Amino acid sequence: MGDAIFVKDDQSKLILVNNSFCDLFGLPRKDIIGKTLAEHVSDEERESFLKIDKEVIANGVENISEETLTLRGGEQQIISTRKSRFVDKSNNKYIIGAIRDITEGKRAENALLESEKQLRELNETKDKLFAIIGHDLRSPFNNILSLTELLRGDENNANSESLELYLNMIDSTSKSTLKLLENLLEWSRSQTGQTDFKFEKINVTTLILEVQDYAQNIAQTKNIIIKEPKLQAQEIFSDSKLLRTILRNLLSNAIKFTKSGGEIVISVFQKKNIIEFVVSDTGVGMSNQVREKLFNIATNISLPGTANEKGSGFGLVLCKEFVEKLGGKIWVESKLGKGSDFKFTLPIEN
């Protein structure tokens, strides 16, 4: 028979096995007869392994079960076992059973379930991306078109102040739209495995000053001060492009949710073999409910900024993905009405 067949006495000792049984467990018959299989499994599994035998002997109820066995060699097998009690004329009780190795089938089943889960997540991601493209890219372009129409309509009476205002608004909208486009492109490359990592020695001060310079104009339009960075670490071996994208998105997010007159500061701390980056703001903060959904593309909800700025929330999702790709982790500490600290760690060397 293809299945492993066995007979046990009332002490779970094997008294009869077929060749398939020996093949399944990789043991010769002389090492099986008179012993229990529990002698060949791990100590943690022995008690549960023998428990079913005792129940079958005591109650005579047929048992069908699935078990994971860790054999002495460390190999794991998933088996499906059917056990029944047999009582002879002398009232001796035995267990008669059949075992089928379902390891490969279970692995295939688990792989299928995992694939289905990944497919659902990809579909959710696709829907979110289409929503971002359909709404968050269309809205800023409509704003730019509206502003240019206003400029055309006011070109005869335009004064320098209104002209500068319109141009600043167009500039700010264009930059935020470009940032979103860049995020979308970076994310799509990472999903298709096209993101090439280039690890190199990075001067932390130089990189942070570059990022702050990029965000300075947007901060000034909201009367927000970006303070001098607090740096306890000067160098890190990482990917400068991804690190720049992470910091840029966190800084843009801080500006979005900080009111006029507020402050933002980037701090960097060295802790043993990691570096911790912190982007702190004096903004509106957030509830625990919002905080728990921030870094998941399926649950992230975009909220308007303190100047009613629109956005997709996609930048934070991208930050999490890039931080993890660089071997770190990211989280946020925040209280409603009291600002937020976005923190992430990276190894000093990869």
Side-chain angles (χ1 to χ4, degrees):
M1 294 181 65
D3 289 347
I5 306 298
F6 64 88
V7 179
K8 296 180 181 181
D9 64 17
D10 58 1
Q11 299 301 310
S12 290
K13 292 182 178 179
L14 291 155
I15 58 177
L16 177 69
V17 297
N18 68 347
N19 290 337
S20 294
F21 189 100
C22 298
D23 294 340
L24 176 61
F25 294 100
L27 295 168
R29 190 172 270 100
K30 64 182 180 63
D31 292 341
I32 295 173
I33 301 301
K35 299 181 180 179
T36 71
L37 272 182
E39 297 168 24
H40 298 283
V41 302
S42 64
D43 296 338
E44 294 79 9
E45 293 167 352
R46 183 176 294 117
E47 185 177 346
S48 62
F49 188 82
L50 295 175
K51 181 181 178 182
I52 295 172
D53 283 6
K54 291 176 182 177
E55 291 174 353
V56 173
I57 286 289
N59 303 321
V61 178
E62 183 179 59
N63 178 275
I64 301 174
S65 62
E66 290 183 6
E67 300 167 276
T68 300
L69 304 181
T70 306
L71 302 181
R72 290 297 181 188
E75 181 185 357
Q76 284 197 329
Q77 287 179 304
I78 305 172
I79 59 173
S80 174
T81 307
R82 180 187 294 268
K83 297 177 181 177
S84 300
R85 187 179 72 177
F86 171 73
V87 183
D88 67 11
K89 292 179 180 179
S90 302
N91 205 34
N92 296 314
K93 297 176 181 178
Y94 302 91
I95 297 173
I96 299 175
I99 301 174
R100 180 168 294 175
D101 186 353
I102 59 171
T103 306
E104 293 304 318
K106 276 293 178 182
R107 285 174 181 167
E109 181 183 330
N110 291 336
L112 181 60
L113 290 173
E114 182 62 28
S115 295
E116 289 177 353
K117 179 185 175 185
Q118 291 176 358
L119 184 59
R120 285 195 300 271
E121 290 174 350
L122 283 172
N123 278 330
E124 289 172 357
T125 300
K126 177 200 69 177
D127 293 341
K128 181 77 172 180
L129 278 173
F130 279 133
I132 293 169
I133 293 169
H135 178 269
D136 295 290
L137 283 181
R138 183 173 59 187
S139 295
F141 281 119
N142 285 336
N143 289 341
I144 292 171
L145 289 171
S146 298
L147 288 168
T148 54
E149 287 297 322
L150 286 172
L151 278 173
R152 286 198 186 96
D154 196 37
E155 59 184 356
N156 295 325
N157 301 314
N159 56 55
S160 59
E161 289 184 5
S162 62
L163 183 62
E164 184 178 0
L165 175 65
Y166 289 147
L167 290 175
N168 283 338
M169 292 174 71
I170 291 172
D171 180 65
S172 175
T173 304
S174 300
K175 284 180 177 177
S176 62
T177 307
L178 179 61
K179 180 172 73 69
L180 177 57
L181 271 172
E182 288 173 346
N183 284 344
L184 286 169
L185 289 171
E186 289 289 346
W187 184 86
S188 64
R189 290 191 192 104
S190 70
Q191 295 303 295
T192 55
Q194 296 178 29
T195 301
D196 295 323
F197 298 109
K198 184 182 178 183
F199 290 97
E200 58 189 347
K201 188 177 288 186
I202 301 168
N203 184 294
V204 174
T205 303
T206 302
L207 186 138
I208 288 178
L209 290 177
E210 286 177 7
V211 173
Q212 291 191 171
D213 186 59
Y214 170 88
Q216 202 65 250
N217 287 339
I218 302 173
Q220 286 176 353
T221 60
K222 292 186 69 174
N223 190 31
I224 294 170
I225 297 172
I226 301 179
K227 300 177 72 176
E228 287 291 320
K230 299 176 182 179
L231 306 176
Q232 289 185 4
Q234 293 297 326
E235 289 186 342
I236 185 172
F237 194 77
S238 192
D239 185 296
S240 62
K241 185 178 180 181
L242 296 192
L243 181 54
R244 190 178 287 107
T245 300
I246 295 163
L247 288 169
R248 190 182 69 225
N249 276 292
L250 292 180
L251 195 54
S252 297
N253 186 73
I255 293 169
K256 179 181 176 182
F257 291 103
T258 299
K259 293 180 180 179
S260 176
E263 295 180 348
I264 297 169
V265 61
I266 299 178
S267 306
V268 183
F269 307 98
Q270 184 167 337
K271 298 180 178 181
K272 294 183 179 179
N273 60 339
I274 65 168
I275 290 183
E276 181 176 290
F277 294 80
V278 184
V279 179
S280 305
D281 64 63
T282 58
V284 297
M286 69 191 79
S287 65
N288 289 336
Q289 187 178 8
V290 171
R291 181 172 54 83
E292 290 170 0
K293 297 178 179 180
L294 277 184
F295 299 106
N296 189 328
I297 193 169
T299 59
N300 183 289
I301 300 172
S302 176
L303 300 173
T306 54
N308 204 34
E309 302 102 314
K310 304 296 182 183
S312 62
F314 187 68
L316 294 179
V317 176
L318 192 69
C319 286
K320 180 177 185 294
E321 184 152 332
F322 282 0
V323 166
E324 291 177 352
K325 284 183 181 293
L326 293 175
K329 63 177 183 177
I330 186 169
W331 69 99
V332 59
E333 297 171 2
S334 180
K335 288 188 177 180
L336 201 59
K338 294 187 177 181
S340 301
D341 293 332
F342 280 83
K343 302 182 177 183
F344 67 95
T345 59
L346 294 178
I348 293 177
E349 294 187 6
N350 265 288

